[in-house]
Amino acid sequence: VPGLLAAGEAGCASVHGANRLGANSLLDLVVFGRQAADTTAELVKPNSPPVSIPKNAGEMTIGRLDKIRNSKGPLPTAQLRQELQVTMQRLAPVYRNSDDLKKGVEVMPGIMKKYKDVGISDRSMIWNTDLIETLELENLLNQASQQMMAAEARKESRGAHAHENFPDRNDEVWMKHTLSFLDKPYVDEATVKLDYRPVIDQPLDKEMHHVPPAKRVY
């Protein structure tokens, strides 16, 4: 996304050790915060013209909030959230297997579609936890569906993805990042799409030598 800079673990793609296992929050922020500042200084020059924003900017977001705030569906937020939680814990737990993940891929689209039937009772705009939880549920469905589809597709074990049918890492096929997204803005209308991009495994300068991948052992 042009102009969107990430600092911390969100910016660790393809950077060996830049996560909670190999580093810590302060180190993430110092390293990536400095890089974000340097990049900003390169891109934004003094006296640059202001960025133009469309007149209708934000209308879609406000419309989504208002739609959910006035939703009158028969399905309580907590009920759908529990169904999602049980499904993820049962079919995509810490230690996964092919049969469960295949079931998850079949079940998840139906759970996503149920979001359109969610209804809330609180229409207020002040401390509306019912509204907040329903908005959060949409994000949970978004994240969980992509996690399920991406996990089922990756036929190996790597990092936090522990696959009982494929216990070893397969660098020849799966040394690549998963790029997952929804093909439509709203989760109840969307389908998960998967794409991939290669890992940047070589240093960008000569300050540090190449560190080859190694098997994680304890």
Side-chain angles (χ1 to χ4, degrees):
V1 179
L4 179 63
L5 303 177
E9 193 166 4
C12 75
S14 284
V15 182
H16 180 67
N19 53 46
R20 292 299 172 272
L21 291 175
N24 55 63
S25 302
L26 182 59
L27 184 58
D28 285 346
L29 293 172
V30 168
V31 172
F32 292 102
R34 182 179 187 276
Q35 186 60 52
D38 289 344
T39 303
T40 301
E42 292 177 7
L43 297 176
V44 182
K45 303 302 181 183
N47 302 317
S48 298
V51 177
S52 59
I53 299 176
K55 292 183 178 180
N56 64 343
E59 287 184 1
M60 184 176 177
T61 300
I62 295 173
R64 168 178 169 267
L65 186 146
D66 204 47
K67 176 184 176 182
I68 295 175
R69 186 170 67 90
N70 292 288
S71 59
K72 301 177 181 178
L75 186 62
T77 300
Q79 183 175 326
L80 183 57
R81 184 175 63 235
Q82 183 179 32
E83 182 180 357
L84 175 66
Q85 180 180 353
V86 170
T87 299
M88 292 301 293
Q89 289 180 337
R90 184 166 55 90
L91 302 179
V94 175
Y95 298 102
R96 303 161 177 175
N97 63 73
S98 297
D99 290 341
D100 286 345
L101 290 171
K102 184 178 180 180
K103 292 177 186 175
V105 167
E106 295 170 354
V107 169
M108 191 59 70
I111 298 177
M112 294 166 66
K113 287 180 172 58
K114 289 182 181 181
Y115 188 74
K116 69 179 184 301
D117 298 322
V118 166
I120 67 175
S121 56
D122 188 352
R123 313 288 182 206
S124 70
M125 296 289 288
I126 300 174
W127 204 257
N128 189 338
T129 55
D130 201 2
L131 172 61
I132 292 172
E133 289 175 2
T134 307
L135 291 169
E136 289 175 344
L137 174 60
E138 184 177 17
N139 184 56
L140 289 172
L141 288 164
N142 189 326
Q143 301 295 325
S145 60
Q146 294 182 60
Q147 180 180 339
M148 181 72 78
M149 307 304 176
E152 195 277 334
R154 186 171 285 268
K155 305 297 193 286
E156 66 157 359
S157 290
R158 182 183 298 272
H161 177 60
H163 201 308
E164 294 177 345
N165 299 94
F166 303 94
D168 298 321
R169 206 177 67 201
N170 185 350
D171 288 347
E172 291 186 8
V173 179
W174 288 105
M175 178 66 84
K176 54 187 177 183
H177 295 293
T178 300
L179 305 176
S180 63
F181 59 94
L182 300 184
D183 61 355
K184 293 183 180 179
Y186 300 112
V187 70
D188 52 297
E189 303 172 352
T191 301
V192 175
K193 300 295 183 181
L194 298 179
D195 199 357
Y196 301 91
R197 79 164 178 82
V199 171
I200 302 172
D201 60 357
Q202 295 295 326
L204 301 181
D205 55 41
K206 296 181 179 180
E207 291 185 15
M208 180 64 187
H209 61 82
H210 171 60
V211 179
K215 187 173 183 180
R216 181 182 294 175
V217 294
Y218 299 97

PDB file of all heavy atoms in Angstrom, residues 190-207:
ATOM      1  N   ALA A 190     -17.830 -12.684   0.611  1.00  0.00           N
ATOM      2  CA  ALA A 190     -16.483 -12.854   0.070  1.00  0.00           C
ATOM      3  C   ALA A 190     -16.034 -14.310   0.007  1.00  0.00           C
ATOM      4  O   ALA A 190     -16.563 -15.188   0.687  1.00  0.00           O
ATOM      5  CB  ALA A 190     -15.492 -12.044   0.903  1.00  0.00           C
ATOM      6  N   THR A 191     -15.024 -14.525  -0.814  1.00  0.00           N
ATOM      7  CA  THR A 191     -14.320 -15.799  -0.923  1.00  0.00           C
ATOM      8  C   THR A 191     -12.841 -15.530  -0.672  1.00  0.00           C
ATOM      9  O   THR A 191     -12.305 -14.517  -1.117  1.00  0.00           O
ATOM     10  CB  THR A 191     -14.500 -16.414  -2.324  1.00  0.00           C
ATOM     11  OG1 THR A 191     -15.904 -16.621  -2.565  1.00  0.00           O
ATOM     12  CG2 THR A 191     -13.774 -17.749  -2.429  1.00  0.00           C
ATOM     13  N   VAL A 192     -12.185 -16.444   0.037  1.00  0.00           N
ATOM     14  CA  VAL A 192     -10.758 -16.293   0.313  1.00  0.00           C
ATOM     15  C   VAL A 192      -9.948 -16.640  -0.933  1.00  0.00           C
ATOM     16  O   VAL A 192     -10.179 -17.673  -1.573  1.00  0.00           O
ATOM     17  CB  VAL A 192     -10.322 -17.195   1.478  1.00  0.00           C
ATOM     18  CG1 VAL A 192      -8.811 -17.122   1.688  1.00  0.00           C
ATOM     19  CG2 VAL A 192     -11.052 -16.792   2.755  1.00  0.00           C
ATOM     20  N   LYS A 193      -9.011 -15.776  -1.269  1.00  0.00           N
ATOM     21  CA  LYS A 193      -8.103 -16.012  -2.385  1.00  0.00           C
ATOM     22  C   LYS A 193      -6.674 -16.101  -1.847  1.00  0.00           C
ATOM     23  O   LYS A 193      -6.298 -15.356  -0.948  1.00  0.00           O
ATOM     24  CB  LYS A 193      -8.197 -14.887  -3.414  1.00  0.00           C
ATOM     25  CG  LYS A 193      -9.582 -14.722  -4.027  1.00  0.00           C
ATOM     26  CD  LYS A 193      -9.983 -15.931  -4.857  1.00  0.00           C
ATOM     27  CE  LYS A 193     -11.339 -15.723  -5.526  1.00  0.00           C
ATOM     28  NZ  LYS A 193     -11.741 -16.918  -6.321  1.00  0.00           N
ATOM     29  N   LEU A 194      -5.899 -17.005  -2.403  1.00  0.00           N
ATOM     30  CA  LEU A 194      -4.511 -17.199  -1.969  1.00  0.00           C
ATOM     31  C   LEU A 194      -3.543 -16.892  -3.108  1.00  0.00           C
ATOM     32  O   LEU A 194      -3.801 -17.229  -4.254  1.00  0.00           O
ATOM     33  CB  LEU A 194      -4.283 -18.637  -1.499  1.00  0.00           C
ATOM     34  CG  LEU A 194      -5.086 -19.128  -0.294  1.00  0.00           C
ATOM     35  CD1 LEU A 194      -4.747 -20.585   0.004  1.00  0.00           C
ATOM     36  CD2 LEU A 194      -4.828 -18.263   0.924  1.00  0.00           C
ATOM     37  N   ASP A 195      -2.467 -16.260  -2.745  1.00  0.00           N
ATOM     38  CA  ASP A 195      -1.375 -16.011  -3.676  1.00  0.00           C
ATOM     39  C   ASP A 195      -0.079 -16.138  -2.882  1.00  0.00           C
ATOM     40  O   ASP A 195      -0.111 -16.302  -1.659  1.00  0.00           O
ATOM     41  CB  ASP A 195      -1.516 -14.621  -4.311  1.00  0.00           C
ATOM     42  CG  ASP A 195      -0.703 -14.489  -5.592  1.00  0.00           C
ATOM     43  OD1 ASP A 195       0.015 -15.448  -5.946  1.00  0.00           O
ATOM     44  OD2 ASP A 195      -0.772 -13.428  -6.240  1.00  0.00           O
ATOM     45  N   TYR A 196       1.051 -16.055  -3.538  1.00  0.00           N
ATOM     46  CA  TYR A 196       2.327 -16.231  -2.858  1.00  0.00           C
ATOM     47  C   TYR A 196       3.368 -15.276  -3.438  1.00  0.00           C
ATOM     48  O   TYR A 196       3.249 -14.809  -4.568  1.00  0.00           O
ATOM     49  CB  TYR A 196       2.821 -17.679  -3.017  1.00  0.00           C
ATOM     50  CG  TYR A 196       1.857 -18.693  -2.462  1.00  0.00           C
ATOM     51  CD1 TYR A 196       0.871 -19.255  -3.266  1.00  0.00           C
ATOM     52  CD2 TYR A 196       1.902 -19.070  -1.122  1.00  0.00           C
ATOM     53  CE1 TYR A 196      -0.035 -20.178  -2.752  1.00  0.00           C
ATOM     54  CE2 TYR A 196       1.003 -19.986  -0.598  1.00  0.00           C
ATOM     55  CZ  TYR A 196       0.036 -20.542  -1.428  1.00  0.00           C
ATOM     56  OH  TYR A 196      -0.856 -21.436  -0.912  1.00  0.00           O
ATOM     57  N   ARG A 197       4.374 -14.983  -2.631  1.00  0.00           N
ATOM     58  CA  ARG A 197       5.532 -14.231  -3.130  1.00  0.00           C
ATOM     59  C   ARG A 197       6.787 -14.821  -2.523  1.00  0.00           C
ATOM     60  O   ARG A 197       6.761 -15.370  -1.411  1.00  0.00           O
ATOM     61  CB  ARG A 197       5.404 -12.736  -2.826  1.00  0.00           C
ATOM     62  CG  ARG A 197       5.736 -12.314  -1.412  1.00  0.00           C
ATOM     63  CD  ARG A 197       5.945 -10.805  -1.368  1.00  0.00           C
ATOM     64  NE  ARG A 197       6.215 -10.293  -0.033  1.00  0.00           N
ATOM     65  CZ  ARG A 197       7.413 -10.310   0.544  1.00  0.00           C
ATOM     66  NH1 ARG A 197       8.437 -10.850  -0.068  1.00  0.00           N
ATOM     67  NH2 ARG A 197       7.576  -9.800   1.747  1.00  0.00           N
ATOM     68  N   PRO A 198       7.894 -14.734  -3.245  1.00  0.00           N
ATOM     69  CA  PRO A 198       9.128 -15.363  -2.747  1.00  0.00           C
ATOM     70  C   PRO A 198       9.679 -14.662  -1.514  1.00  0.00           C
ATOM     71  O   PRO A 198       9.442 -13.475  -1.291  1.00  0.00           O
ATOM     72  CB  PRO A 198      10.094 -15.230  -3.935  1.00  0.00           C
ATOM     73  CG  PRO A 198       9.556 -14.091  -4.736  1.00  0.00           C
ATOM     74  CD  PRO A 198       8.066 -14.133  -4.569  1.00  0.00           C
ATOM     75  N   VAL A 199      10.429 -15.409  -0.733  1.00  0.00           N
ATOM     76  CA  VAL A 199      11.115 -14.866   0.434  1.00  0.00           C
ATOM     77  C   VAL A 199      12.383 -14.148  -0.026  1.00  0.00           C
ATOM     78  O   VAL A 199      13.101 -14.639  -0.900  1.00  0.00           O
ATOM     79  CB  VAL A 199      11.495 -15.994   1.419  1.00  0.00           C
ATOM     80  CG1 VAL A 199      12.392 -15.479   2.538  1.00  0.00           C
ATOM     81  CG2 VAL A 199      10.234 -16.623   1.997  1.00  0.00           C
ATOM     82  N   ILE A 200      12.644 -12.979   0.527  1.00  0.00           N
ATOM     83  CA  ILE A 200      13.901 -12.277   0.253  1.00  0.00           C
ATOM     84  C   ILE A 200      14.962 -12.900   1.158  1.00  0.00           C
ATOM     85  O   ILE A 200      15.056 -12.579   2.347  1.00  0.00           O
ATOM     86  CB  ILE A 200      13.762 -10.770   0.537  1.00  0.00           C
ATOM     87  CG1 ILE A 200      12.631 -10.178  -0.314  1.00  0.00           C
ATOM     88  CG2 ILE A 200      15.073 -10.049   0.255  1.00  0.00           C
ATOM     89  CD1 ILE A 200      12.289  -8.739   0.035  1.00  0.00           C
ATOM     90  N   ASP A 201      15.744 -13.806   0.615  1.00  0.00           N
ATOM     91  CA  ASP A 201      16.674 -14.569   1.457  1.00  0.00           C
ATOM     92  C   ASP A 201      18.119 -14.083   1.368  1.00  0.00           C
ATOM     93  O   ASP A 201      19.012 -14.672   1.981  1.00  0.00           O
ATOM     94  CB  ASP A 201      16.614 -16.058   1.112  1.00  0.00           C
ATOM     95  CG  ASP A 201      16.972 -16.339  -0.340  1.00  0.00           C
ATOM     96  OD1 ASP A 201      17.205 -15.370  -1.094  1.00  0.00           O
ATOM     97  OD2 ASP A 201      17.028 -17.530  -0.718  1.00  0.00           O
ATOM     98  N   GLN A 202      18.343 -13.012   0.623  1.00  0.00           N
ATOM     99  CA  GLN A 202      19.692 -12.466   0.523  1.00  0.00           C
ATOM    100  C   GLN A 202      19.722 -11.057   1.124  1.00  0.00           C
ATOM    101  O   GLN A 202      18.774 -10.287   0.962  1.00  0.00           O
ATOM    102  CB  GLN A 202      20.144 -12.409  -0.933  1.00  0.00           C
ATOM    103  CG  GLN A 202      20.284 -13.773  -1.595  1.00  0.00           C
ATOM    104  CD  GLN A 202      21.372 -14.624  -0.968  1.00  0.00           C
ATOM    105  OE1 GLN A 202      22.394 -14.093  -0.523  1.00  0.00           O
ATOM    106  NE2 GLN A 202      21.170 -15.940  -0.937  1.00  0.00           N
ATOM    107  N   PRO A 203      20.811 -10.693   1.815  1.00  0.00           N
ATOM    108  CA  PRO A 203      20.905  -9.337   2.385  1.00  0.00           C
ATOM    109  C   PRO A 203      20.838  -8.273   1.289  1.00  0.00           C
ATOM    110  O   PRO A 203      21.251  -8.506   0.148  1.00  0.00           O
ATOM    111  CB  PRO A 203      22.293  -9.345   3.060  1.00  0.00           C
ATOM    112  CG  PRO A 203      22.617 -10.782   3.263  1.00  0.00           C
ATOM    113  CD  PRO A 203      21.975 -11.530   2.139  1.00  0.00           C
ATOM    114  N   LEU A 204      20.315  -7.119   1.657  1.00  0.00           N
ATOM    115  CA  LEU A 204      20.192  -6.025   0.694  1.00  0.00           C
ATOM    116  C   LEU A 204      21.475  -5.203   0.595  1.00  0.00           C
ATOM    117  O   LEU A 204      21.581  -4.318  -0.254  1.00  0.00           O
ATOM    118  CB  LEU A 204      19.012  -5.127   1.076  1.00  0.00           C
ATOM    119  CG  LEU A 204      17.644  -5.830   1.134  1.00  0.00           C
ATOM    120  CD1 LEU A 204      16.560  -4.826   1.506  1.00  0.00           C
ATOM    121  CD2 LEU A 204      17.323  -6.512  -0.188  1.00  0.00           C
ATOM    122  N   ASP A 205      22.438  -5.433   1.492  1.00  0.00           N
ATOM    123  CA  ASP A 205      23.735  -4.762   1.411  1.00  0.00           C
ATOM    124  C   ASP A 205      24.812  -5.738   1.887  1.00  0.00           C
ATOM    125  O   ASP A 205      24.533  -6.906   2.161  1.00  0.00           O
ATOM    126  CB  ASP A 205      23.745  -3.467   2.241  1.00  0.00           C
ATOM    127  CG  ASP A 205      23.341  -3.707   3.689  1.00  0.00           C
ATOM    128  OD1 ASP A 205      23.773  -4.736   4.266  1.00  0.00           O
ATOM    129  OD2 ASP A 205      22.612  -2.878   4.264  1.00  0.00           O
ATOM    130  N   LYS A 206      26.037  -5.258   1.974  1.00  0.00           N
ATOM    131  CA  LYS A 206      27.170  -6.131   2.313  1.00  0.00           C
ATOM    132  C   LYS A 206      27.538  -6.085   3.793  1.00  0.00           C
ATOM    133  O   LYS A 206      28.562  -6.635   4.197  1.00  0.00           O
ATOM    134  CB  LYS A 206      28.378  -5.738   1.465  1.00  0.00           C
ATOM    135  CG  LYS A 206      28.157  -5.959  -0.025  1.00  0.00           C
ATOM    136  CD  LYS A 206      29.397  -5.584  -0.827  1.00  0.00           C
ATOM    137  CE  LYS A 206      29.170  -5.829  -2.318  1.00  0.00           C
ATOM    138  NZ  LYS A 206      30.365  -5.467  -3.129  1.00  0.00           N
ATOM    139  N   GLU A 207      26.690  -5.430   4.605  1.00  0.00           N
ATOM    140  CA  GLU A 207      26.996  -5.336   6.031  1.00  0.00           C
ATOM    141  C   GLU A 207      26.850  -6.686   6.740  1.00  0.00           C
ATOM    142  O   GLU A 207      27.477  -6.930   7.751  1.00  0.00           O
ATOM    143  CB  GLU A 207      26.090  -4.296   6.691  1.00  0.00           C
ATOM    144  CG  GLU A 207      26.389  -2.861   6.279  1.00  0.00           C
ATOM    145  CD  GLU A 207      25.555  -1.870   7.060  1.00  0.00           C
ATOM    146  OE1 GLU A 207      24.979  -2.272   8.092  1.00  0.00           O
ATOM    147  OE2 GLU A 207      25.478  -0.705   6.659  1.00  0.00           O
TER     148      GLU A 207
END
